[in-house]
Short mmCIF file of all heavy atoms in Angstrom, two decimals:
data_model
loop_
_atom_site.label_atom_id
_atom_site.label_comp_id
_atom_site.label_asym_id
_atom_site.label_seq_id
_atom_site.Cartn_x
_atom_site.Cartn_y
_atom_site.Cartn_z
N GLU X 1 -58.08 25.65 -145.27
CA GLU X 1 -57.82 26.07 -143.88
C GLU X 1 -56.62 25.48 -143.26
O GLU X 1 -56.13 25.91 -142.21
CB GLU X 1 -59.05 25.85 -143.06
CG GLU X 1 -60.26 26.59 -143.51
CD GLU X 1 -61.57 26.12 -142.84
OE1 GLU X 1 -61.51 25.04 -142.19
OE2 GLU X 1 -62.61 26.77 -142.96
N ASN X 2 -56.11 24.44 -143.86
CA ASN X 2 -55.04 23.54 -143.24
C ASN X 2 -53.69 24.39 -142.93
O ASN X 2 -53.16 24.18 -141.83
CB ASN X 2 -54.67 22.40 -144.13
CG ASN X 2 -53.77 21.43 -143.38
OD1 ASN X 2 -54.07 20.89 -142.33
ND2 ASN X 2 -52.59 21.23 -143.93
N PRO X 3 -53.28 25.30 -143.83
CA PRO X 3 -52.04 26.06 -143.42
C PRO X 3 -52.09 26.74 -142.07
O PRO X 3 -51.13 26.73 -141.40
CB PRO X 3 -51.93 27.03 -144.61
CG PRO X 3 -52.57 26.34 -145.78
CD PRO X 3 -53.73 25.68 -145.13
N TYR X 4 -53.26 27.33 -141.77
CA TYR X 4 -53.34 28.01 -140.49
C TYR X 4 -53.23 27.05 -139.31
O TYR X 4 -52.44 27.27 -138.40
CB TYR X 4 -54.69 28.75 -140.42
CG TYR X 4 -55.08 29.22 -139.01
CD1 TYR X 4 -54.48 30.46 -138.58
CD2 TYR X 4 -55.79 28.52 -138.16
CE1 TYR X 4 -54.71 30.85 -137.25
CE2 TYR X 4 -56.07 28.93 -136.83
CZ TYR X 4 -55.54 30.17 -136.40
OH TYR X 4 -55.79 30.58 -135.13
N TYR X 5 -54.00 25.93 -139.40
CA TYR X 5 -54.02 24.99 -138.30
C TYR X 5 -52.58 24.26 -138.15
O TYR X 5 -52.17 24.00 -137.04
CB TYR X 5 -55.06 23.89 -138.53
CG TYR X 5 -56.46 24.44 -138.32
CD1 TYR X 5 -57.32 24.88 -139.29
CD2 TYR X 5 -56.94 24.49 -137.00
CE1 TYR X 5 -58.55 25.36 -139.06
CE2 TYR X 5 -58.26 24.95 -136.74
CZ TYR X 5 -59.02 25.38 -137.77
OH TYR X 5 -60.27 25.90 -137.46
N SER X 6 -51.96 24.08 -139.26
CA SER X 6 -50.65 23.42 -139.21
C SER X 6 -49.62 24.31 -138.53
O SER X 6 -48.77 23.88 -137.70
CB SER X 6 -50.10 23.21 -140.68
OG SER X 6 -50.97 22.20 -141.33
N GLU X 7 -49.73 25.67 -138.72
CA GLU X 7 -48.85 26.57 -138.05
C GLU X 7 -49.14 26.64 -136.51
O GLU X 7 -48.28 26.72 -135.72
CB GLU X 7 -48.88 27.95 -138.68
CG GLU X 7 -48.22 28.03 -140.09
CD GLU X 7 -46.76 27.60 -140.08
OE1 GLU X 7 -46.04 28.18 -139.17
OE2 GLU X 7 -46.29 26.79 -140.81
N VAL X 8 -50.45 26.75 -136.19
CA VAL X 8 -50.81 26.93 -134.82
C VAL X 8 -50.42 25.73 -134.02
O VAL X 8 -50.00 25.84 -132.86
CB VAL X 8 -52.35 27.18 -134.73
CG1 VAL X 8 -52.83 27.16 -133.27
CG2 VAL X 8 -52.67 28.54 -135.32
N LEU X 9 -50.54 24.54 -134.56
CA LEU X 9 -50.23 23.26 -133.89
C LEU X 9 -48.79 23.23 -133.46
O LEU X 9 -48.43 22.57 -132.45
CB LEU X 9 -50.60 22.06 -134.82
CG LEU X 9 -51.96 21.64 -134.83
CD1 LEU X 9 -52.23 20.57 -135.94
CD2 LEU X 9 -52.46 21.07 -133.52
N LYS X 10 -47.91 24.00 -134.19
CA LYS X 10 -46.48 23.98 -133.80
C LYS X 10 -46.24 24.66 -132.49
O LYS X 10 -45.19 24.33 -131.88
CB LYS X 10 -45.69 24.67 -134.94
CG LYS X 10 -45.72 23.90 -136.30
CD LYS X 10 -44.96 24.70 -137.28
CE LYS X 10 -44.95 23.98 -138.68
NZ LYS X 10 -44.27 24.82 -139.70
N ILE X 11 -47.13 25.58 -132.11
CA ILE X 11 -46.93 26.32 -130.88
C ILE X 11 -47.74 25.86 -129.76
O ILE X 11 -47.60 26.30 -128.57
CB ILE X 11 -47.11 27.79 -131.17
CG1 ILE X 11 -48.57 28.13 -131.47
CG2 ILE X 11 -46.16 28.37 -132.16
CD1 ILE X 11 -48.93 29.60 -131.55
N MET X 12 -48.71 24.94 -130.02
CA MET X 12 -49.62 24.49 -129.01
C MET X 12 -49.07 23.29 -128.25
O MET X 12 -48.45 22.40 -128.90
CB MET X 12 -51.02 24.15 -129.55
CG MET X 12 -51.66 25.30 -130.25
SD MET X 12 -52.13 26.65 -129.20
CE MET X 12 -53.63 26.09 -128.36
N PRO X 13 -49.20 23.15 -126.95
CA PRO X 13 -48.73 22.01 -126.18
C PRO X 13 -49.60 20.77 -126.58
O PRO X 13 -50.71 20.85 -126.90
CB PRO X 13 -48.89 22.39 -124.76
CG PRO X 13 -49.96 23.40 -124.74
CD PRO X 13 -49.85 24.16 -125.98
N LYS X 14 -49.03 19.57 -126.49
CA LYS X 14 -49.77 18.37 -126.74
C LYS X 14 -50.76 18.03 -125.72
O LYS X 14 -50.57 18.31 -124.50
CB LYS X 14 -48.81 17.16 -126.91
CG LYS X 14 -47.89 17.30 -128.11
CD LYS X 14 -47.00 16.08 -128.27
CE LYS X 14 -46.14 16.24 -129.52
NZ LYS X 14 -45.18 15.01 -129.60
N HIS X 15 -51.85 17.47 -126.12
CA HIS X 15 -52.92 17.05 -125.16
C HIS X 15 -52.36 16.05 -124.20
O HIS X 15 -51.73 15.00 -124.62
CB HIS X 15 -54.09 16.43 -125.98
CG HIS X 15 -55.29 16.06 -125.13
ND1 HIS X 15 -55.36 14.86 -124.51
CD2 HIS X 15 -56.42 16.74 -124.79
CE1 HIS X 15 -56.50 14.77 -123.81
NE2 HIS X 15 -57.12 15.88 -123.97
N GLY X 16 -52.61 16.20 -122.96
CA GLY X 16 -52.16 15.31 -121.90
C GLY X 16 -50.66 15.59 -121.40
O GLY X 16 -50.18 14.98 -120.46
N SER X 17 -50.05 16.64 -121.99
CA SER X 17 -48.69 16.97 -121.56
C SER X 17 -48.74 17.78 -120.31
O SER X 17 -49.70 18.52 -120.03
CB SER X 17 -47.97 17.73 -122.69
OG SER X 17 -48.61 18.93 -122.96
N VAL X 18 -47.66 17.76 -119.50
CA VAL X 18 -47.48 18.51 -118.25
C VAL X 18 -46.89 19.89 -118.63
O VAL X 18 -45.89 19.94 -119.27
CB VAL X 18 -46.68 17.80 -117.21
CG1 VAL X 18 -46.45 18.69 -115.98
CG2 VAL X 18 -47.28 16.49 -116.93
N VAL X 19 -47.62 20.99 -118.19
CA VAL X 19 -47.14 22.29 -118.50
C VAL X 19 -47.13 23.10 -117.22
O VAL X 19 -47.73 22.81 -116.23
CB VAL X 19 -48.00 22.96 -119.54
CG1 VAL X 19 -48.02 22.22 -120.88
CG2 VAL X 19 -49.54 23.05 -119.06
N GLN X 20 -46.37 24.29 -117.35
CA GLN X 20 -46.38 25.26 -116.23
C GLN X 20 -47.21 26.43 -116.66
O GLN X 20 -47.05 26.98 -117.79
CB GLN X 20 -44.89 25.70 -116.08
CG GLN X 20 -44.68 26.50 -114.77
CD GLN X 20 -44.92 25.65 -113.57
OE1 GLN X 20 -44.61 24.51 -113.52
NE2 GLN X 20 -45.33 26.30 -112.44
N THR X 21 -48.09 26.88 -115.77
CA THR X 21 -48.96 28.02 -116.02
C THR X 21 -48.71 29.07 -114.96
O THR X 21 -48.05 28.81 -113.91
CB THR X 21 -50.50 27.55 -116.01
OG1 THR X 21 -50.87 27.34 -114.60
CG2 THR X 21 -50.70 26.24 -116.73
N PRO X 22 -49.30 30.21 -115.07
CA PRO X 22 -49.22 31.30 -114.04
C PRO X 22 -49.77 30.78 -112.79
O PRO X 22 -49.42 31.32 -111.66
CB PRO X 22 -49.95 32.44 -114.62
CG PRO X 22 -49.89 32.23 -116.12
CD PRO X 22 -49.96 30.78 -116.30
N ASP X 23 -50.70 29.81 -112.77
CA ASP X 23 -51.29 29.32 -111.51
C ASP X 23 -50.72 27.96 -111.02
O ASP X 23 -51.25 27.33 -110.16
CB ASP X 23 -52.84 29.16 -111.69
CG ASP X 23 -53.59 30.41 -111.93
OD1 ASP X 23 -52.97 31.47 -111.64
OD2 ASP X 23 -54.71 30.41 -112.35
N GLY X 24 -49.64 27.63 -111.61
CA GLY X 24 -48.90 26.32 -111.24
C GLY X 24 -48.90 25.31 -112.27
O GLY X 24 -49.37 25.54 -113.45
N GLU X 25 -48.36 24.18 -111.90
CA GLU X 25 -48.26 23.03 -112.86
C GLU X 25 -49.55 22.36 -113.15
O GLU X 25 -50.40 22.26 -112.22
CB GLU X 25 -47.23 22.05 -112.32
CG GLU X 25 -46.84 21.02 -113.38
CD GLU X 25 -45.75 20.04 -112.79
OE1 GLU X 25 -44.58 20.42 -112.94
OE2 GLU X 25 -46.10 18.99 -112.20
N GLY X 26 -49.83 21.87 -114.38
CA GLY X 26 -50.99 21.22 -114.68
C GLY X 26 -50.91 20.36 -115.96
O GLY X 26 -49.80 20.27 -116.58
N VAL X 27 -52.04 19.71 -116.30
CA VAL X 27 -52.06 18.79 -117.46
C VAL X 27 -52.96 19.45 -118.50
O VAL X 27 -54.07 19.92 -118.17
CB VAL X 27 -52.57 17.45 -117.08
CG1 VAL X 27 -52.65 16.57 -118.35
CG2 VAL X 27 -51.66 16.82 -116.02
N VAL X 28 -52.51 19.45 -119.78
CA VAL X 28 -53.33 20.03 -120.89
C VAL X 28 -54.58 19.14 -121.16
O VAL X 28 -54.34 17.93 -121.39
CB VAL X 28 -52.49 20.14 -122.17
CG1 VAL X 28 -53.38 20.60 -123.29
CG2 VAL X 28 -51.36 21.13 -121.93
N ILE X 29 -55.71 19.73 -121.13
CA ILE X 29 -56.96 19.02 -121.34
C ILE X 29 -57.53 19.27 -122.74
O ILE X 29 -58.07 18.38 -123.41
CB ILE X 29 -58.00 19.35 -120.29
CG1 ILE X 29 -57.49 19.05 -118.88
CG2 ILE X 29 -59.37 18.64 -120.55
CD1 ILE X 29 -57.18 17.66 -118.56
N TYR X 30 -57.34 20.50 -123.23
CA TYR X 30 -57.94 20.88 -124.52
C TYR X 30 -57.23 22.08 -125.15
O TYR X 30 -56.78 22.94 -124.37
CB TYR X 30 -59.45 21.15 -124.39
CG TYR X 30 -60.12 21.65 -125.61
CD1 TYR X 30 -60.42 20.77 -126.66
CD2 TYR X 30 -60.41 22.93 -125.78
CE1 TYR X 30 -61.04 21.17 -127.81
CE2 TYR X 30 -61.14 23.42 -127.00
CZ TYR X 30 -61.31 22.49 -127.92
OH TYR X 30 -61.91 22.93 -129.09
N ASN X 31 -57.07 22.09 -126.47
CA ASN X 31 -56.52 23.14 -127.15
C ASN X 31 -57.56 23.90 -128.06
O ASN X 31 -58.11 23.16 -128.86
CB ASN X 31 -55.29 22.74 -128.02
CG ASN X 31 -54.05 22.48 -127.20
OD1 ASN X 31 -53.78 23.14 -126.21
ND2 ASN X 31 -53.28 21.46 -127.61
N ASP X 32 -57.80 25.14 -127.86
CA ASP X 32 -58.70 25.89 -128.81
C ASP X 32 -57.77 26.51 -129.87
O ASP X 32 -57.17 27.55 -129.57
CB ASP X 32 -59.47 26.92 -128.05
CG ASP X 32 -60.51 27.64 -128.88
OD1 ASP X 32 -60.33 27.75 -130.07
OD2 ASP X 32 -61.57 27.95 -128.34
N LEU X 33 -57.75 25.88 -131.03
CA LEU X 33 -56.77 26.33 -132.04
C LEU X 33 -57.12 27.66 -132.66
O LEU X 33 -56.25 28.44 -133.04
CB LEU X 33 -56.72 25.24 -133.16
CG LEU X 33 -56.23 23.85 -132.67
CD1 LEU X 33 -56.17 22.93 -133.90
CD2 LEU X 33 -54.88 23.91 -132.06
N LEU X 34 -58.41 27.97 -132.69
CA LEU X 34 -58.72 29.30 -133.32
C LEU X 34 -58.44 30.49 -132.35
O LEU X 34 -57.96 31.43 -132.80
CB LEU X 34 -60.25 29.27 -133.66
CG LEU X 34 -60.72 28.50 -134.85
CD1 LEU X 34 -62.21 28.54 -134.97
CD2 LEU X 34 -60.11 29.12 -136.10
N LYS X 35 -58.71 30.24 -131.11
CA LYS X 35 -58.49 31.31 -130.12
C LYS X 35 -57.02 31.30 -129.53
O LYS X 35 -56.59 32.17 -128.85
CB LYS X 35 -59.40 31.26 -128.87
CG LYS X 35 -60.91 31.55 -129.34
CD LYS X 35 -61.83 31.38 -128.07
CE LYS X 35 -63.26 31.67 -128.48
NZ LYS X 35 -64.20 31.52 -127.28
N LYS X 36 -56.36 30.18 -129.80
CA LYS X 36 -54.98 29.91 -129.33
C LYS X 36 -54.97 29.94 -127.78
O LYS X 36 -54.18 30.56 -127.11
CB LYS X 36 -54.02 30.94 -129.79
CG LYS X 36 -53.82 30.95 -131.35
CD LYS X 36 -52.81 31.89 -131.82
CE LYS X 36 -52.66 31.91 -133.35
NZ LYS X 36 -51.70 32.84 -133.85
N MET X 37 -56.01 29.23 -127.19
CA MET X 37 -56.13 29.16 -125.71
C MET X 37 -55.99 27.72 -125.37
O MET X 37 -56.35 26.75 -126.08
CB MET X 37 -57.55 29.62 -125.36
CG MET X 37 -57.88 31.07 -125.66
SD MET X 37 -56.84 32.24 -124.66
CE MET X 37 -57.62 32.04 -123.06
#
């Protein structure tokens, strides 16, 4: 299963990083790698 997760991790923001969302700025709490949420 590793090839899938390795590719998804490249596009996911790091945990704890500051990001911009449609609802404003925030901090990443969790990444759902399967759903890409």
Side-chain angles (χ1 to χ4, degrees):
E1 297 169 350
N2 189 61
Y4 169 81
Y5 286 97
S6 296
E7 287 302 312
V8 173
L9 281 171
K10 294 177 182 178
I11 63 172
M12 302 298 281
K14 292 182 179 179
H15 183 274
S17 62
V18 178
V19 295
Q20 190 69 32
T21 76
D23 292 347
E25 190 176 273
V27 177
V28 176
I29 302 299
Y30 177 74
N31 285 322
D32 188 326
L33 301 180
L34 285 176
K35 295 180 180 179
K36 298 182 181 178
M37 300 291 288

